[in-house]
Amino acid sequence: MSNETAASTTTPVNEADEHRKRLIKKSIETYRCYGEQPTLADIESCQIDEQSNSNIFLQITPYFATMDLTKLEDLTYTKSYTYWLNEKKVLFESNVNFLKNIVRRLSSPNNEYLATVVKETKNDQEIQYFQLWKKKSSPSFFEWSPDSKYLIFTAEEKRKPIKSYFNCDKLDDAISNPPNLYQENWGEQMESFELNCVCLFDVEKKEVKLIENLPKNVYMGQAIWNEKCIDEVIFIGYPVEPYRLGLIYCENRASAFFHCNWKQNECKQLNEFDQLCRLHPRSIPNQENKLIYLQCDIYKGHRQCQRLVLYDWIKNEEKILVERVENVTYENSSEPFKAKFDEQFKGLYLPPPRKCFTSDGRYLFLRTYNGTQEVAYIYDMQKNELQSLPSPLNNTSVRILGVYKSYCLASVIDFQTSFKFYLYDLNTKQWHLITENKLDIQLKWSIDRFFPDNEKLPVESIYLQAKSTSAGIKPLFVVIHGGPNASVQVDYYIGAITYIAMGFDVLYINFRGSTGFGQGKRCVSLAPDQKRPVIICGGSHGGYLASSLIGKYPADYDLAVMRNPVTDLVAQYTVTDIPDWVLSQTSNDQFDFINGRNRYDVVKGSMIQQSPVHFIDNVKTPVLLQLGKKDRRVPINLGLRYYENLKARNVPVKLFTYDSNHALAEVIVASDCFVNTILFIDEYFPQSNNLLLFVCSLKLTNRRIMTDGEAVNQEQRVNDEEEIYRDEPIDEDQYLRRMPHLLLLNDDLERTTSFSLNLIGMQNIYSKFQDDNGNISVDNLLKVLQALGKNDLSFEDVLMVCQESWVSVNNRDALLAAFKIFDKEKNGYIDSDEFRKLMTTLGEPLSDEEIDDLIKLPNILNNDGEININELADKLLNDIFADDIDHNSTLNNDDHIKEIEEVNDQNKENI
């Protein structure tokens, strides 16, 4: 035992491993804190007791969604509230009722019954059970008849799997269902959706009836009842011939309405499979044979601006109530124009809530996007007027959950609020707050609008940071959404709030082409911040943009994080479940089933030239790839080939694969992706004071060994940059023209302008303390900072100061302490390859020639190709910085090193 004890005490502590453990622990704590916050998912039921005008009570049961980061699974629960409308009081709040393994839930109109589908796994196969409960209620995917006597739903036909003719019990089964016969499905996340049937459950008889005589070449989807005749149901059907394309996230597939009389087993197709996609039908109360639905074009953008259509299925007549908005433009970004832009209706992009009409059928509540916010509108069916429903709070999104009689239930959300549960009274035009979820963290954000390149089409960005942040520079996390026909809204994003809590600022970009700005097709414009480290992040089409940008502009981005990125359009066109997407995004061509994936004219032209792999020789940015093994939308092979290409070119790259699909949305996957992203960033941006001195010393080396010509070029470059930040108001258009592929952050522009206007005053203060050579001593630096109102400095402030060219590192022990952080073996040496990697990625990167000059200095390398850090420190101080050395520094070296180590430990804890 004594020998074991002695051995354990002599085991060296691996500081790098200990640091990573602390960082993992901090990442887990942060993600658990904000990932387990509940969000409002839907309304289970709402009972209204109108005893009199002065006593109106609402019994409301919403259901909430969150994560269980202990069991690593999604979690859903309900909670009931009794609200006294007249007194604006919550009289009762129930306990939480947790729901397990619920797939689909829907309450009957009279709230007597609750239909659910429950899942469980047996022998690695998911099995689903239908259940009917009495005196309970819930949301969302079946359709009850208006009288609550029948429930209609779709299900997959049960097929007995047969592995071989040789072990088949009955040959009849093998004839009707041959072994290994390929059965088409609907692609990504819908592989089990092959052959469906429509069933009807009779509540009184407790019987399930299979509706017959439905067309076999049509896959039935959404259904609604005839409000006046419970014998009739209207379906939306999708053709399955000649073959299927992916359906999830694709609101551009051909579809038609079908009328079914289930008692007589009759089914009639009401319209052709034409160039239109019909979505989200909703019955109109007290309107026989009429419904509303959303309509868009097929085989173009997968998410489009949609038309609101009134449909009479008896007369087979349609009337467009709200037309698609083609483009929303404004010529100027000044305040009056901004207000007019905000007030404009920009089209419909979201499905109506399941219960969207008031009980009299007059008012229809709609959800949509207005730029970067989710907003609500009310359509008056009598006056044919569309009116905005303003949010009760500024700078928030409003998500309509359901309408009950004349009361609308909604969740009001922002980046630091997972929900505020509100009730809107249409009679009094008042909002009522029922409950809310408050977080400790305080964020600040700005929604900035730009008109780059003198265009009339705006671009919007959302810039987020901690409200109580200290002055200085933080790494910027630039997030590009996928789609590209999608957008980022003011919402509670776990990713945003966790990255901010971990010490980053976050920028979301709704580039031109995002939904919420009209139907017009637009291009991309992104904004690296030249003053701080920039991590660019994107998934799917966002990954396509990220991988394209690091190939086209390799010097602008410090790290790239990509999730299932589209890196090769030719390969994507060949293997994805949505080949029409590739045609739409590359050449704006329409997909046809005859030519299918054989459009070689497009492949040879735009697809190759627009693929990120076309620019892969330019990539220098370290890349983190996160791929789903079950991804049908962007199959994993695309990411694997990109990974191999980067490795072959010695580009730093790390790959994680997950047993997941395109979304990578499972709790166990999403949480793991977050931790791995933090660890990857820490490899290249470790926040330590030792590293700060190390990087600054090498910047000085770079400056000292410049040729005269290089120094002149650098001086000219600095002068050119200063010309932009002159002591005048900055012309935004001129700045954008100088950087045509960038989009300047308005927030950074304002800070830069403010700095420019105060520059003369700062110079006057500086001049009062400078010596004959125009310099100031370290002692006088404190007085200058105090005169400028800077009484305390953050780590970021010190970083900004030390990055300037007048800083010199002239203390050998302090410099040696900086080098030792990279001495993994604690033997006084650094691996030369690791040294080269660090010097080409940290701070101002050194060229290979400059690194060679350093390594070639006498006595630097040993026989194993390792760098002697003691010799390197001596050479840097004695040979290169000889004229800057002050060997009689009044600062005690031991105290200095101790101070550095204390700050270093503190910074590691703060990561």
Side-chain angles (χ1 to χ4, degrees), residues 434-452:
I434 298 175
T435 186
E436 63 181 313
N437 186 48
K438 295 181 179 180
L439 302 182
D440 294 333
I441 193 170
Q442 293 294 313
L443 307 180
K444 60 180 178 180
W445 61 89
S446 61
I447 301 175
D448 302 309
R449 183 175 300 131
F450 308 93
F451 295 81

Side-chain angles (χ1 to χ4, degrees), residues 374-393:
E374 184 173 337
V375 295
Y377 281 87
I378 303 175
Y379 188 85
D380 189 328
M381 300 290 288
Q382 289 185 8
K383 296 182 178 180
N384 292 324
E385 291 179 353
L386 186 69
Q387 298 179 345
S388 172
L389 176 59
S391 171
L393 302 172

